Structures are given as structure tokens and as C-alpha cells.
Amino acid sequence: MTADSFPLERTSRPLPDDERSAILADPGFGKHFTDHMATAQWTPDAGWHARGVGPLEPFTLHPSAAVLHYAQEIFEGLKAYRHADGSVWLFRPEANARRFARSARRLTLPELPEEDFLDSVAALVRADAAWVPAGGGEQSLYLRPFMIATEAFLGVRPAHEVRYCVIASPAATYFSSGAGGVTLWISTTYTRAAPGGTGEAKCGGNYATSLAAQLEAQAHGCDQVLYVDSAEHRWLEESGTMNIAVLTSAGELVTPPLGTILEGVTRDSVLALAADHGLTAVQRPISVDELAAGCADGTITEVFAIGTAAVITPITRFLGEGVDITVGDATAGKTTLALRKHVLDIQYGRAADPHGWLRRVV
Ligand SMILES: Cc1ncc(COP(=O)(O)O)c(C=O)c1O
């Protein structure tokens, strides 16, 4: 990954060191942003152009900009990790670049070449390297590439002016090892995706429509929603921002198949690591009935959610209309925590990386 294709214009007003240090001491999630952003623009005639990294600043958009009316928008989420020796690494950024291209195709946005995606992210991390939290803990620099339709017009058609941007935000641990698991609400009121829809794409619209389901989950005292399929309200799909998997007493790690869910980079990584934990990775539909029966008779031993933000989060209970399922003894499972540690250890350079997933940027 070279940064040359996204030349840096350094801000003349970076946040003072002491203020940045205070933020890094307690970054939270998505609350603070670094000094710079990477951008590029697209038109049908010029293709991708105006690449660069410059000061983080607000956009100016015409009030008729297509993204504001028709939600022609996609995004990604990945992290930069500082290792103990001070170096900074990305985890499988090519997988995010490819998913970004797939999302672009679904939203009829121009595909950003994989090289531009990787270069822009690397250039921003290098410009804001001081913002990558120290290694040793579980903090990271969260990176948010996104693409919006900026053309000013009213009418439903693909926009002819598009902007790509990457912003970065220091992120704290989402979940500390040993903490209890989360409770998910199985919503039958709302569904996230249907065949032929946008479930596989990472587009803002999917998240706008998820807010009502999330509030429904919270109203029932749950941490997050678990979506089931739209046709039968029977098959597990995924959580609000994470994929899910169950472990069985037969030594299987089972996760719902692709189709209407987001193809998670962490999900794919966990499937690849399953064998190291004596597990057979299986992708097949899991019904709510199977989940309830399996948790009751012990054939389902652990359940967890998988995603970049929280890595792996134990799920210890499910609630829904007429549904109350407790997983195991309602505490974080041993294998769940071992898988979680394994992924984190690779990301932070504490374990071998036999799959070659890490890319050094600093
Ligand atoms: C709906 C949804 N499912 C799953 C995931 C997990 O994907 P990843 O592991 O690539 O972060 C995310 C997060 O991006 C998500 O928003």
C-alpha cells in the first residue's frame, strides 16, 4: 500500500498534543475524530480524481444533493491496530475494499478501485498516526470510508457526481473480557432484508430502517435486535451490526449462510480459525425453534455475535414475542472467549498470522 496517490496537505491547526492525549485516554466510540480526512471525487467524464488527504472539515452540499433525498450512499468500517513495537497494522483491508465495491454495484455508485481504497486508508492512518492508541490494550483507530451521491438534482436516477471520503475515530474497547454477555430481542415486527433487497450491501439506508427495531429491542430491556428472515420470521439472520454464530455439543461452529446478511470480515475470519479450536465451520440456516430446543437440551452450548467493533460478543439470552431462551448458564462461554482472544491476538500482533491477514501501514 502506497500513500503517494493520496498526497497529504497537512492541517495547520492539529489538535494540541495534550488535548489529543486526553481523548486517547478515554476515546469512547465514534465521538472524536482525527485531524485529517482522505477524499476523492468522481464524474462519468473524469472518473476518479482529486485524490488527497487534507484537514478534516465540513462538506458543502447543495440541498438537492442526491444522497440527501434518495440515500445513494455506502460505507465501510475497519480498524488500525498498534502493535507493542509501535508499528500500526490493518486487518484484511482488501476484504473491506471488495465489499465496498460490491456495495457500490448494488447502490449504482461508481466502484472505487481496490488500490484507491487501500491507499486512501493507509495515507490517512499515516497522516494521523499519532491518533492510533497505544498497543497493549484493546484500543484502535476506527476507519470509516464512505461514498455519497453529491450531484444536485431531483429525480430518481444514479448520480453523476460522487464523493468518496475516509474519516478516522479513536475507539476504546467495546467489551472487556470476562464481562457477561448481551441479550438480543428477536423482532418479528421488523425485518432487515429480503431476497433481492440491500441486505448484503453496507448502505446507510439499512441502518436508518434498523433504528426502530433497535428501539423496540431496548424497550424490551434487550441490548440489540436479532433479525429473522422476512418471509417466515423463523430463520436467524444477524444482529444490528454483527453476524452471529452458535456452537454445538457436536463441535460445530454454525453461522447463517450469506444471501440477505452482511458478509462480515470478522465472520469470515472466525470461520477460518474454527479448526484451530477443534471446531467444524458450517454455514447453514438456523431456526428460532432449533435455537430454543438446542439451548434447552444442551446441544447448543454457546452463541456469540461477530463484528469489527466488538470483535466477538457472547450472547447469553434471547427474548421475543413468546420467546425466552437462556444460553448455557447465561455467562460468556469458554470457547467464545478463546476465539475472541485469538482474533484480538492476531490483530495486535500477539499471535501468529498464518493466513497473512495483517498489512503494515506505519
Ligand atoms: C449489519 C452488520 N452485520 C455484520 C457486521 C460485521 O461485519 P464486519 O465483521 O466486517 O465488521 C456489520 C459491521 O460492519 C454490520 O453492520
Side-chain angles (χ1 to χ4, degrees), residues 18 28 42 90 99 111 114 116 119 138 145 161 169 214 222 253 268-269 273 283 302 304 317 332 336 339 341 345 350:
D18 56 335
W42 180 91
L90 300 172
R99 188 170 66 190
E111 277 180 50
E114 183 170 325
D116 278 332
D119 288 353
E138 288 178 13
E161 281 175 31
S169 173
Q214 194 179 314
C222 296
L253 185 160
D268 188 66
S269 308
L273 295 177
Q283 299 182 58
E302 301 180 29
F304 53 87
R317 193 176 177 197
T336 300
L339 279 165
K341 180 171 182 309
D345 283 349
R350 300 186 292 252

Side-chain angles (χ1 to χ4, degrees), residues 48-316:
W48 285 107
H49 61 282
R51 297 171 179 81
V53 174
L56 179 82
E57 61 190 13
F59 291 148
T60 301
L61 284 179
H62 191 279
S64 73
V67 64
L68 301 177
H69 302 269
Y70 312 114
Q72 202 188 0
E73 188 267 0
I74 57 169
F75 67 98
E76 267 304 323
L78 68 165
K79 288 173 170 175
Y81 307 87
R82 194 179 291 284
H83 288 189
D85 65 358
S87 59
V88 178
W89 303 70
L90 300 172
F91 181 74
R92 306 188 69 183
E94 303 87 352
N96 295 94
R98 290 194 290 267
R99 188 170 66 190
F100 199 54
R102 291 198 298 277
S103 297
R105 285 199 288 277
R106 181 64 184 85
L107 273 286
T108 325
L109 282 160
E111 277 180 50
L112 183 76
E114 183 170 325
E115 203 178 310
D116 278 332
F117 183 97
L118 299 176
D119 288 353
S120 61
V121 166
L124 181 62
V125 173
R126 286 182 188 129
D128 284 328
W131 283 89
V132 184
E138 288 178 13
Q139 297 189 345
S140 58
L141 185 66
Y142 183 81
L143 300 160
R144 168 54 57 86
F146 63 100
M147 194 189 288
I148 57 173
T150 49
E151 189 188 355
F153 74 101
L154 294 178
V156 181
R157 63 154 172 82
H160 296 153
E161 281 175 31
V162 170
R163 182 161 189 163
Y164 167 68
C165 182
V166 192
I167 53 174
S169 173
T173 321
Y174 221 70
F175 156 82
S176 55
S177 324
V182 297
T183 299
L184 300 190
W185 172 255
I186 301 178
S187 180
T188 45
T189 316
Y190 301 106
T191 53
R192 178 182 172 278
T198 56
E200 278 187 301
K202 202 160 169 64
C203 56
N206 285 349
Y207 298 83
T209 56
S210 78
L211 301 175
Q214 194 179 314
L215 290 188
E216 184 188 70
Q218 284 165 4
H220 288 89
C222 296
D223 300 288
Q224 253 295 347
V225 64
L226 177 82
Y227 293 102
V228 287
D229 72 294
S230 58
E232 298 182 73
H233 288 182
R234 181 174 166 215
W235 304 101
L236 309 187
E237 296 225 316
E238 63 184 318
S239 180
T241 58
M242 295 202 272
N243 297 114
I244 65 151
V246 311
L247 301 182
T248 70
S249 54
E252 288 182 331
L253 185 160
V254 190
T255 192
L258 300 176
T260 50
I261 62 171
L262 192 78
E263 184 172 355
V265 178
T266 324
R267 170 187 179 278
D268 188 66
S269 308
V270 166
L271 287 172
L273 295 177
D276 294 346
H277 295 260
L279 299 165
T280 307
V282 180
Q283 299 182 58
R284 68 161 172 82
I286 308 161
S287 68
V288 177
D289 288 345
E290 179 186 352
L291 178 72
C295 289
D297 68 14
T299 49
I300 290 178
T301 52
E302 301 180 29
V303 187
F304 53 87
I306 322 164
T308 296
V311 193
I312 289 180
T313 300
I315 302 167
T316 48

